[in-house]
Amino acid sequence: QVQLVESGGGLVQAGGSLRLSCTASTTIRSLRTMGWYRQAPGKQRFMVATVFLSGGVANYADSVKGRFTISRDNAKNTVYLQMNSLKSEDTAVYYCNADHWDGVTVYWGQGTQVTVSS
């Protein structure tokens, strides 16, 4: 079982920046992708950004392209989400996600709250 521990959420004014971190309890070489999803109250959870851990190819939701950047540090078993030019609509609980190379097993973190005040 892989544990994912998030940190870095908080309260920020619109236009500001935050960096989220997600550290896995095992070497991330055993994982295929890691990424971030978010869920606002009353809305469905959706993918914000993901990265293939072998090769580093990243994918972003259209709503965050050009503002958010996902990166990884394989030596630290950690993935980061740098969020710039934050908007009130970015307010949500952000969840770290990882999937195994078996294509079936998925792991989730406990979530971290990001609140952007306008």
Side-chain angles (χ1 to χ4, degrees), residues 61-100:
D62 287 344
S63 59
V64 306
K65 283 180 181 177
R67 300 188 297 123
F68 291 10
T69 303
I70 190 168
S71 62
R72 74 204 194 285
D73 185 334
N74 288 13
K76 295 182 178 180
N77 300 329
T78 299
V79 171
Y80 305 96
L81 184 68
Q82 178 65 43
M83 304 185 293
N84 298 328
S85 302
L86 283 161
K87 305 175 181 179
S88 57
E89 51 263 44
D90 295 318
T91 296
V93 178
Y94 284 70
Y95 295 92
C96 182
N97 165 278
D99 69 343
H100 194 274

mmCIF file of all heavy atoms in Angstrom, residues 61-100:
data_model
loop_
_atom_site.group_PDB
_atom_site.id
_atom_site.type_symbol
_atom_site.label_atom_id
_atom_site.label_comp_id
_atom_site.label_asym_id
_atom_site.label_seq_id
_atom_site.Cartn_x
_atom_site.Cartn_y
_atom_site.Cartn_z
ATOM 1 N N ALA A 61 -5.361 20.437 -17.091
ATOM 2 C CA ALA A 61 -6.709 20.880 -17.424
ATOM 3 C C ALA A 61 -6.609 22.235 -18.127
ATOM 4 O O ALA A 61 -5.726 23.045 -17.802
ATOM 5 C CB ALA A 61 -7.539 21.007 -16.157
ATOM 6 N N ASP A 62 -7.507 22.487 -19.050
ATOM 7 C CA ASP A 62 -7.467 23.756 -19.798
ATOM 8 C C ASP A 62 -7.535 24.958 -18.857
ATOM 9 O O ASP A 62 -6.922 25.991 -19.107
ATOM 10 C CB ASP A 62 -8.617 23.810 -20.793
ATOM 11 C CG ASP A 62 -8.402 22.891 -21.984
ATOM 12 O OD1 ASP A 62 -7.255 22.449 -22.205
ATOM 13 O OD2 ASP A 62 -9.393 22.609 -22.692
ATOM 14 N N SER A 63 -8.270 24.809 -17.772
ATOM 15 C CA SER A 63 -8.488 25.942 -16.867
ATOM 16 C C SER A 63 -7.233 26.372 -16.110
ATOM 17 O O SER A 63 -7.209 27.465 -15.540
ATOM 18 C CB SER A 63 -9.606 25.609 -15.875
ATOM 19 O OG SER A 63 -9.264 24.449 -15.123
ATOM 20 N N VAL A 64 -6.198 25.526 -16.114
ATOM 21 C CA VAL A 64 -4.982 25.878 -15.364
ATOM 22 C C VAL A 64 -3.750 26.003 -16.253
ATOM 23 O O VAL A 64 -2.673 26.373 -15.770
ATOM 24 C CB VAL A 64 -4.695 24.851 -14.233
ATOM 25 C CG1 VAL A 64 -5.920 24.694 -13.341
ATOM 26 C CG2 VAL A 64 -4.244 23.516 -14.792
ATOM 27 N N LYS A 65 -3.900 25.715 -17.537
ATOM 28 C CA LYS A 65 -2.751 25.813 -18.444
ATOM 29 C C LYS A 65 -2.170 27.216 -18.426
ATOM 30 O O LYS A 65 -2.905 28.209 -18.479
ATOM 31 C CB LYS A 65 -3.167 25.432 -19.864
ATOM 32 C CG LYS A 65 -3.304 23.935 -20.087
ATOM 33 C CD LYS A 65 -3.712 23.631 -21.524
ATOM 34 C CE LYS A 65 -3.868 22.137 -21.740
ATOM 35 N NZ LYS A 65 -4.347 21.826 -23.117
ATOM 36 N N GLY A 66 -0.848 27.290 -18.349
ATOM 37 C CA GLY A 66 -0.169 28.574 -18.322
ATOM 38 C C GLY A 66 -0.053 29.175 -16.928
ATOM 39 O O GLY A 66 0.684 30.139 -16.732
ATOM 40 N N ARG A 67 -0.772 28.605 -15.965
ATOM 41 C CA ARG A 67 -0.720 29.133 -14.589
ATOM 42 C C ARG A 67 -0.120 28.112 -13.612
ATOM 43 O O ARG A 67 0.564 28.487 -12.666
ATOM 44 C CB ARG A 67 -2.120 29.513 -14.107
ATOM 45 C CG ARG A 67 -2.786 30.575 -14.945
ATOM 46 C CD ARG A 67 -4.097 31.055 -14.293
ATOM 47 N NE ARG A 67 -5.088 29.998 -14.182
ATOM 48 C CZ ARG A 67 -5.648 29.622 -13.032
ATOM 49 N NH1 ARG A 67 -5.299 30.204 -11.894
ATOM 50 N NH2 ARG A 67 -6.558 28.650 -13.019
ATOM 51 N N PHE A 68 -0.406 26.844 -13.841
ATOM 52 C CA PHE A 68 0.068 25.776 -12.946
ATOM 53 C C PHE A 68 1.161 24.977 -13.644
ATOM 54 O O PHE A 68 1.116 24.769 -14.862
ATOM 55 C CB PHE A 68 -1.067 24.823 -12.583
ATOM 56 C CG PHE A 68 -2.139 25.401 -11.698
ATOM 57 C CD1 PHE A 68 -2.198 26.758 -11.412
ATOM 58 C CD2 PHE A 68 -3.102 24.565 -11.140
ATOM 59 C CE1 PHE A 68 -3.191 27.286 -10.606
ATOM 60 C CE2 PHE A 68 -4.096 25.075 -10.326
ATOM 61 C CZ PHE A 68 -4.143 26.434 -10.061
ATOM 62 N N THR A 69 2.106 24.504 -12.846
ATOM 63 C CA THR A 69 3.168 23.647 -13.359
ATOM 64 C C THR A 69 3.373 22.470 -12.424
ATOM 65 O O THR A 69 3.563 22.662 -11.213
ATOM 66 C CB THR A 69 4.492 24.415 -13.493
ATOM 67 O OG1 THR A 69 4.306 25.555 -14.347
ATOM 68 C CG2 THR A 69 5.577 23.523 -14.091
ATOM 69 N N ILE A 70 3.342 21.267 -12.987
ATOM 70 C CA ILE A 70 3.607 20.061 -12.204
ATOM 71 C C ILE A 70 5.039 19.626 -12.471
ATOM 72 O O ILE A 70 5.524 19.710 -13.603
ATOM 73 C CB ILE A 70 2.596 18.940 -12.538
ATOM 74 C CG1 ILE A 70 2.734 17.784 -11.556
ATOM 75 C CG2 ILE A 70 2.722 18.481 -13.986
ATOM 76 C CD1 ILE A 70 1.581 16.765 -11.652
ATOM 77 N N SER A 71 5.707 19.190 -11.415
ATOM 78 C CA SER A 71 7.083 18.714 -11.555
ATOM 79 C C SER A 71 7.312 17.575 -10.577
ATOM 80 O O SER A 71 6.506 17.357 -9.673
ATOM 81 C CB SER A 71 8.074 19.851 -11.310
ATOM 82 O OG SER A 71 7.954 20.358 -9.997
ATOM 83 N N ARG A 72 8.411 16.862 -10.792
ATOM 84 C CA ARG A 72 8.689 15.712 -9.928
ATOM 85 C C ARG A 72 10.150 15.703 -9.518
ATOM 86 O O ARG A 72 11.018 16.194 -10.234
ATOM 87 C CB ARG A 72 8.346 14.408 -10.649
ATOM 88 C CG ARG A 72 9.349 14.020 -11.738
ATOM 89 C CD ARG A 72 8.734 13.132 -12.763
ATOM 90 N NE ARG A 72 9.731 12.488 -13.620
ATOM 91 C CZ ARG A 72 10.410 13.090 -14.591
ATOM 92 N NH1 ARG A 72 10.240 14.368 -14.823
ATOM 93 N NH2 ARG A 72 11.279 12.389 -15.326
ATOM 94 N N ASP A 73 10.399 15.126 -8.351
ATOM 95 C CA ASP A 73 11.761 14.890 -7.876
ATOM 96 C C ASP A 73 11.815 13.417 -7.493
ATOM 97 O O ASP A 73 11.395 13.039 -6.391
ATOM 98 C CB ASP A 73 12.077 15.787 -6.681
ATOM 99 C CG ASP A 73 13.516 15.667 -6.232
ATOM 100 O OD1 ASP A 73 14.140 14.616 -6.466
ATOM 101 O OD2 ASP A 73 14.017 16.621 -5.626
ATOM 102 N N ASN A 74 12.283 12.601 -8.405
ATOM 103 C CA ASN A 74 12.270 11.163 -8.180
ATOM 104 C C ASN A 74 13.096 10.770 -6.965
ATOM 105 O O ASN A 74 12.748 9.831 -6.242
ATOM 106 C CB ASN A 74 12.776 10.431 -9.419
ATOM 107 C CG ASN A 74 11.771 10.472 -10.553
ATOM 108 O OD1 ASN A 74 10.812 11.233 -10.527
ATOM 109 N ND2 ASN A 74 12.007 9.673 -11.578
ATOM 110 N N ALA A 75 14.176 11.484 -6.705
ATOM 111 C CA ALA A 75 15.042 11.152 -5.573
ATOM 112 C C ALA A 75 14.319 11.351 -4.242
ATOM 113 O O ALA A 75 14.625 10.686 -3.253
ATOM 114 C CB ALA A 75 16.308 11.983 -5.623
ATOM 115 N N LYS A 76 13.363 12.280 -4.227
ATOM 116 C CA LYS A 76 12.615 12.565 -2.997
ATOM 117 C C LYS A 76 11.227 11.929 -3.010
ATOM 118 O O LYS A 76 10.438 12.163 -2.089
ATOM 119 C CB LYS A 76 12.480 14.081 -2.800
ATOM 120 C CG LYS A 76 13.802 14.795 -2.568
ATOM 121 C CD LYS A 76 13.589 16.285 -2.328
ATOM 122 C CE LYS A 76 14.912 16.991 -2.045
ATOM 123 N NZ LYS A 76 14.723 18.449 -1.817
ATOM 124 N N ASN A 77 10.927 11.157 -4.058
ATOM 125 C CA ASN A 77 9.607 10.521 -4.177
ATOM 126 C C ASN A 77 8.486 11.555 -4.061
ATOM 127 O O ASN A 77 7.440 11.296 -3.462
ATOM 128 C CB ASN A 77 9.420 9.431 -3.119
ATOM 129 C CG ASN A 77 10.448 8.328 -3.232
ATOM 130 O OD1 ASN A 77 10.914 8.028 -4.328
ATOM 131 N ND2 ASN A 77 10.820 7.746 -2.116
ATOM 132 N N THR A 78 8.704 12.719 -4.650
ATOM 133 C CA THR A 78 7.802 13.849 -4.457
ATOM 134 C C THR A 78 7.412 14.477 -5.778
ATOM 135 O O THR A 78 8.231 14.591 -6.693
ATOM 136 C CB THR A 78 8.464 14.899 -3.548
ATOM 137 O OG1 THR A 78 8.742 14.310 -2.271
ATOM 138 C CG2 THR A 78 7.563 16.107 -3.348
ATOM 139 N N VAL A 79 6.152 14.882 -5.837
ATOM 140 C CA VAL A 79 5.620 15.639 -6.960
ATOM 141 C C VAL A 79 5.128 16.987 -6.426
ATOM 142 O O VAL A 79 4.578 17.055 -5.320
ATOM 143 C CB VAL A 79 4.467 14.875 -7.638
ATOM 144 C CG1 VAL A 79 3.769 15.747 -8.659
ATOM 145 C CG2 VAL A 79 4.995 13.629 -8.319
ATOM 146 N N TYR A 80 5.336 18.010 -7.219
ATOM 147 C CA TYR A 80 4.954 19.362 -6.820
ATOM 148 C C TYR A 80 3.931 19.940 -7.793
ATOM 149 O O TYR A 80 3.906 19.576 -8.976
ATOM 150 C CB TYR A 80 6.177 20.281 -6.800
ATOM 151 C CG TYR A 80 7.304 19.791 -5.943
ATOM 152 C CD1 TYR A 80 8.360 19.067 -6.506
ATOM 153 C CD2 TYR A 80 7.325 20.039 -4.578
ATOM 154 C CE1 TYR A 80 9.400 18.598 -5.718
ATOM 155 C CE2 TYR A 80 8.371 19.585 -3.786
ATOM 156 C CZ TYR A 80 9.404 18.867 -4.357
ATOM 157 O OH TYR A 80 10.437 18.418 -3.573
ATOM 158 N N LEU A 81 3.125 20.854 -7.290
ATOM 159 C CA LEU A 81 2.230 21.619 -8.150
ATOM 160 C C LEU A 81 2.437 23.091 -7.807
ATOM 161 O O LEU A 81 2.033 23.546 -6.728
ATOM 162 C CB LEU A 81 0.765 21.229 -7.955
ATOM 163 C CG LEU A 81 -0.209 21.927 -8.898
ATOM 164 C CD1 LEU A 81 0.003 21.451 -10.340
ATOM 165 C CD2 LEU A 81 -1.659 21.682 -8.470
ATOM 166 N N GLN A 82 3.092 23.799 -8.694
ATOM 167 C CA GLN A 82 3.284 25.232 -8.531
ATOM 168 C C GLN A 82 2.081 25.936 -9.133
ATOM 169 O O GLN A 82 1.801 25.771 -10.330
ATOM 170 C CB GLN A 82 4.566 25.698 -9.225
ATOM 171 C CG GLN A 82 4.821 27.186 -9.135
ATOM 172 C CD GLN A 82 5.075 27.656 -7.714
ATOM 173 O OE1 GLN A 82 5.806 27.014 -6.960
ATOM 174 N NE2 GLN A 82 4.464 28.776 -7.344
ATOM 175 N N MET A 83 1.383 26.706 -8.321
ATOM 176 C CA MET A 83 0.161 27.376 -8.756
ATOM 177 C C MET A 83 0.385 28.884 -8.702
ATOM 178 O O MET A 83 0.605 29.433 -7.616
ATOM 179 C CB MET A 83 -1.007 26.975 -7.857
ATOM 180 C CG MET A 83 -1.218 25.469 -7.780
ATOM 181 S SD MET A 83 -2.693 25.010 -6.843
ATOM 182 C CE MET A 83 -2.229 25.545 -5.197
ATOM 183 N N ASN A 84 0.347 29.519 -9.848
ATOM 184 C CA ASN A 84 0.526 30.965 -9.954
ATOM 185 C C ASN A 84 -0.752 31.615 -10.459
ATOM 186 O O ASN A 84 -1.634 30.947 -11.001
ATOM 187 C CB ASN A 84 1.675 31.288 -10.905
ATOM 188 C CG ASN A 84 3.009 30.745 -10.426
ATOM 189 O OD1 ASN A 84 3.261 30.650 -9.215
ATOM 190 N ND2 ASN A 84 3.874 30.376 -11.363
ATOM 191 N N SER A 85 -0.839 32.915 -10.288
ATOM 192 C CA SER A 85 -1.997 33.684 -10.760
ATOM 193 C C SER A 85 -3.300 33.028 -10.316
ATOM 194 O O SER A 85 -4.223 32.836 -11.113
ATOM 195 C CB SER A 85 -1.957 33.810 -12.295
ATOM 196 O OG SER A 85 -0.761 34.424 -12.722
ATOM 197 N N LEU A 86 -3.371 32.698 -9.054
ATOM 198 C CA LEU A 86 -4.534 31.983 -8.534
ATOM 199 C C LEU A 86 -5.788 32.825 -8.621
ATOM 200 O O LEU A 86 -5.758 34.054 -8.447
ATOM 201 C CB LEU A 86 -4.270 31.540 -7.097
ATOM 202 C CG LEU A 86 -3.366 30.309 -6.986
ATOM 203 C CD1 LEU A 86 -2.772 30.201 -5.590
ATOM 204 C CD2 LEU A 86 -4.139 29.053 -7.342
ATOM 205 N N LYS A 87 -6.895 32.145 -8.881
ATOM 206 C CA LYS A 87 -8.200 32.781 -9.012
ATOM 207 C C LYS A 87 -9.134 32.189 -7.953
ATOM 208 O O LYS A 87 -8.911 31.080 -7.451
ATOM 209 C CB LYS A 87 -8.775 32.525 -10.404
ATOM 210 C CG LYS A 87 -7.868 32.935 -11.551
ATOM 211 C CD LYS A 87 -8.483 32.530 -12.881
ATOM 212 C CE LYS A 87 -7.576 32.899 -14.053
ATOM 213 N NZ LYS A 87 -8.160 32.490 -15.357
ATOM 214 N N SER A 88 -10.214 32.896 -7.682
ATOM 215 C CA SER A 88 -11.162 32.408 -6.681
ATOM 216 C C SER A 88 -11.734 31.048 -7.087
ATOM 217 O O SER A 88 -12.019 30.211 -6.230
ATOM 218 C CB SER A 88 -12.279 33.418 -6.464
ATOM 219 O OG SER A 88 -12.934 33.707 -7.686
ATOM 220 N N GLU A 89 -11.861 30.823 -8.384
ATOM 221 C CA GLU A 89 -12.411 29.544 -8.846
ATOM 222 C C GLU A 89 -11.441 28.380 -8.678
ATOM 223 O O GLU A 89 -11.809 27.234 -8.918
ATOM 224 C CB GLU A 89 -12.866 29.634 -10.305
ATOM 225 C CG GLU A 89 -11.843 30.200 -11.262
ATOM 226 C CD GLU A 89 -12.074 31.681 -11.523
ATOM 227 O OE1 GLU A 89 -12.331 32.437 -10.554
ATOM 228 O OE2 GLU A 89 -11.972 32.070 -12.708
ATOM 229 N N ASP A 90 -10.211 28.657 -8.264
ATOM 230 C CA ASP A 90 -9.266 27.585 -7.953
ATOM 231 C C ASP A 90 -9.483 27.045 -6.541
ATOM 232 O O ASP A 90 -8.848 26.052 -6.155
ATOM 233 C CB ASP A 90 -7.822 28.082 -8.077
ATOM 234 C CG ASP A 90 -7.449 28.459 -9.494
ATOM 235 O OD1 ASP A 90 -7.824 27.719 -10.429
ATOM 236 O OD2 ASP A 90 -6.781 29.496 -9.677
ATOM 237 N N THR A 91 -10.340 27.694 -5.781
ATOM 238 C CA THR A 91 -10.632 27.241 -4.426
ATOM 239 C C THR A 91 -11.232 25.844 -4.446
ATOM 240 O O THR A 91 -12.222 25.588 -5.131
ATOM 241 C CB THR A 91 -11.593 28.202 -3.730
ATOM 242 O OG1 THR A 91 -10.954 29.476 -3.575
ATOM 243 C CG2 THR A 91 -12.007 27.672 -2.371
ATOM 244 N N ALA A 92 -10.601 24.922 -3.712
ATOM 245 C CA ALA A 92 -11.035 23.527 -3.704
ATOM 246 C C ALA A 92 -10.153 22.741 -2.743
ATOM 247 O O ALA A 92 -9.134 23.256 -2.262
ATOM 248 C CB ALA A 92 -10.937 22.920 -5.099
ATOM 249 N N VAL A 93 -10.537 21.508 -2.513
ATOM 250 C CA VAL A 93 -9.634 20.554 -1.872
ATOM 251 C C VAL A 93 -8.835 19.882 -2.977
ATOM 252 O O VAL A 93 -9.408 19.368 -3.940
ATOM 253 C CB VAL A 93 -10.404 19.517 -1.037
ATOM 254 C CG1 VAL A 93 -9.425 18.503 -0.429
ATOM 255 C CG2 VAL A 93 -11.217 20.197 0.054
ATOM 256 N N TYR A 94 -7.534 19.904 -2.847
ATOM 257 C CA TYR A 94 -6.644 19.319 -3.839
ATOM 258 C C TYR A 94 -6.145 17.968 -3.327
ATOM 259 O O TYR A 94 -5.647 17.861 -2.200
ATOM 260 C CB TYR A 94 -5.469 20.255 -4.108
ATOM 261 C CG TYR A 94 -5.847 21.426 -4.963
ATOM 262 C CD1 TYR A 94 -6.677 22.441 -4.478
ATOM 263 C CD2 TYR A 94 -5.405 21.525 -6.283
ATOM 264 C CE1 TYR A 94 -7.047 23.512 -5.274
ATOM 265 C CE2 TYR A 94 -5.758 22.597 -7.092
ATOM 266 C CZ TYR A 94 -6.579 23.585 -6.572
ATOM 267 O OH TYR A 94 -6.949 24.651 -7.366
ATOM 268 N N TYR A 95 -6.301 16.962 -4.175
ATOM 269 C CA TYR A 95 -5.924 15.597 -3.821
ATOM 270 C C TYR A 95 -4.766 15.122 -4.694
ATOM 271 O O TYR A 95 -4.811 15.273 -5.931
ATOM 272 C CB TYR A 95 -7.101 14.645 -4.025
ATOM 273 C CG TYR A 95 -8.272 14.902 -3.127
ATOM 274 C CD1 TYR A 95 -9.303 15.741 -3.526
ATOM 275 C CD2 TYR A 95 -8.365 14.290 -1.865
ATOM 276 C CE1 TYR A 95 -10.389 15.983 -2.705
ATOM 277 C CE2 TYR A 95 -9.448 14.522 -1.039
ATOM 278 C CZ TYR A 95 -10.448 15.379 -1.466
ATOM 279 O OH TYR A 95 -11.530 15.612 -0.642
ATOM 280 N N CYS A 96 -3.790 14.541 -4.045
ATOM 281 C CA CYS A 96 -2.711 13.898 -4.786
ATOM 282 C C CYS A 96 -3.179 12.508 -5.220
ATOM 283 O O CYS A 96 -3.891 11.815 -4.482
ATOM 284 C CB CYS A 96 -1.480 13.781 -3.906
ATOM 285 S SG CYS A 96 -0.049 13.052 -4.736
ATOM 286 N N ASN A 97 -2.769 12.134 -6.415
ATOM 287 C CA ASN A 97 -3.180 10.863 -6.999
ATOM 288 C C ASN A 97 -1.964 10.167 -7.596
ATOM 289 O O ASN A 97 -1.069 10.833 -8.122
ATOM 290 C CB ASN A 97 -4.241 11.131 -8.068
ATOM 291 C CG ASN A 97 -4.483 9.961 -8.994
ATOM 292 O OD1 ASN A 97 -3.739 9.747 -9.955
ATOM 293 N ND2 ASN A 97 -5.515 9.198 -8.708
ATOM 294 N N ALA A 98 -1.960 8.848 -7.511
ATOM 295 C CA ALA A 98 -0.897 8.085 -8.166
ATOM 296 C C ALA A 98 -1.478 6.784 -8.680
ATOM 297 O O ALA A 98 -2.400 6.233 -8.067
ATOM 298 C CB ALA A 98 0.241 7.801 -7.187
ATOM 299 N N ASP A 99 -0.966 6.319 -9.799
ATOM 300 C CA ASP A 99 -1.407 5.004 -10.246
ATOM 301 C C ASP A 99 -0.214 4.117 -10.544
ATOM 302 O O ASP A 99 0.871 4.582 -10.885
ATOM 303 C CB ASP A 99 -2.367 5.091 -11.444
ATOM 304 C CG ASP A 99 -1.696 5.560 -12.709
ATOM 305 O OD1 ASP A 99 -0.594 6.123 -12.633
ATOM 306 O OD2 ASP A 99 -2.276 5.346 -13.791
ATOM 307 N N HIS A 100 -0.472 2.829 -10.341
ATOM 308 C CA HIS A 100 0.574 1.828 -10.465
ATOM 309 C C HIS A 100 0.708 1.405 -11.922
ATOM 310 O O HIS A 100 -0.212 1.593 -12.727
ATOM 311 C CB HIS A 100 0.192 0.620 -9.590
ATOM 312 C CG HIS A 100 1.308 -0.328 -9.357
ATOM 313 N ND1 HIS A 100 1.611 -1.341 -10.237
ATOM 314 C CD2 HIS A 100 2.204 -0.427 -8.348
ATOM 315 C CE1 HIS A 100 2.630 -2.027 -9.783
ATOM 316 N NE2 HIS A 100 3.016 -1.485 -8.631
#
